[in-house]
Amino acid sequence: VKVVVDAYNGTVDFYVSDPNDIIIKVYGTIFPKLFLPLSEMDSDLRKHIRYPKGFLQIQATMFSTYHMTDPKVFYNKEDLWEIPVYGKEAIEPYYTIMKLPEEKKEEYILLLPYTPSKRDNLAAWLAGRCDEPNYGNLIVYTFPRDRLIFGPRQIDARIDQDSYISQQLTLWGQRGSQVIRGSLLIIPIESSLLYVQPLYLAAEDKGGLPELRRVILAFENNVVMEENLELGLQRLFAGKITLPSGEKESITDKSSPNTLAKEAMQAYERLNELLRRGDWAGYGEELKKLGQILKKMAR
């Protein structure tokens, strides 16, 4: 991404992140006053520029084939990737704040997962970076082939196979309610992934707004459904908190699953409040705290 467009108060400004790009130079010669250096954009606005979803979707489709660098592998299409389908539609890129591997701090990025062709496990992540000085850069992370990393369809199947969850969904449907599954969030935690999906109920004959009724969480081979995130985390990680080797501190009441689950729920509620207020700096800090709590629970 070379150009950032700022439309405000009836004016449109074009800022370029790479003035040495040959295409930018050509158009800059034709229209001398068209492009401005990105450094001239207001600093508050620069903090909120985002990598476009449409760009990443197009690039991801092309990269699913052209990530293969070996000519024989490319010719035989031996390592094709696909954008996973959840429900009836392909997953769309989504924005999140997280610390990329080997990076020192969190950043705002646009993520999209890959699965191997005609398979459901995850193969890689493609990320578009939004923060300076890396705005516009793409980075891909591949999962090890010797480990099974569940993809969206596999998690969806595990949810449907859970006897309690499937029974509850059937019961709600028979009572005249429409069960709506929210977006499946995939949250990286060190070397594992936590899957979170909200469940909504809406009255079919009253035209009411969907109401959040349950939260489904999946981690490794475990799937739970509870009334809220706090209870779900308690069930999912109960009894799994152990000290890493080499640490001498004993586990206190402050590190109990119940306490950590409450802290995670409080952080989640603060995230929603910061999101409603548009406080992105506070959102990033709070997301970092939530990540630290989830890491403790994963250990």
Side-chain angles (χ1 to χ4, degrees), residues 61-104:
T61 302
M62 297 177 65
F63 192 68
S64 63
T65 300
Y66 289 94
H67 72 277
M68 295 178 285
T69 56
D70 185 298
K72 293 183 179 179
V73 174
F74 176 81
Y75 180 78
N76 294 317
K77 297 183 178 180
E78 297 175 6
D79 191 24
L80 280 176
W81 290 349
E82 293 178 347
I83 298 174
V85 174
Y86 187 73
K88 297 182 180 180
E89 299 180 356
I91 289 181
E92 295 185 356
Y94 57 91
Y95 295 100
T96 185
I97 298 176
M98 63 176 290
K99 183 170 69 173
L100 295 173
E102 301 181 359
E103 295 294 333
K104 297 182 179 179

Side-chain angles (χ1 to χ4, degrees), residues 4 8 12 51 60 76 93 96 104 110 118-119 147 156 163 170 173 185 217 263 292:
V4 179
Y8 184 69
V12 180
Y51 197 92
N76 294 317
T96 185
K104 297 182 179 179
L110 181 63
K118 299 180 180 180
R119 296 176 61 186
R147 291 183 56 193
D156 194 51
S163 58
T170 302
L185 304 179
L217 296 95
E263 292 178 3
Q292 293 171 348

Side-chain angles (χ1 to χ4, degrees), residues 274-289:
L274 292 169
L275 181 63
R276 285 193 293 267
R277 296 193 332 226
D279 184 355
W280 297 110
Y283 185 91
E285 290 297 324
E286 198 62 41
L287 187 64
K288 180 180 179 181
K289 294 178 183 178

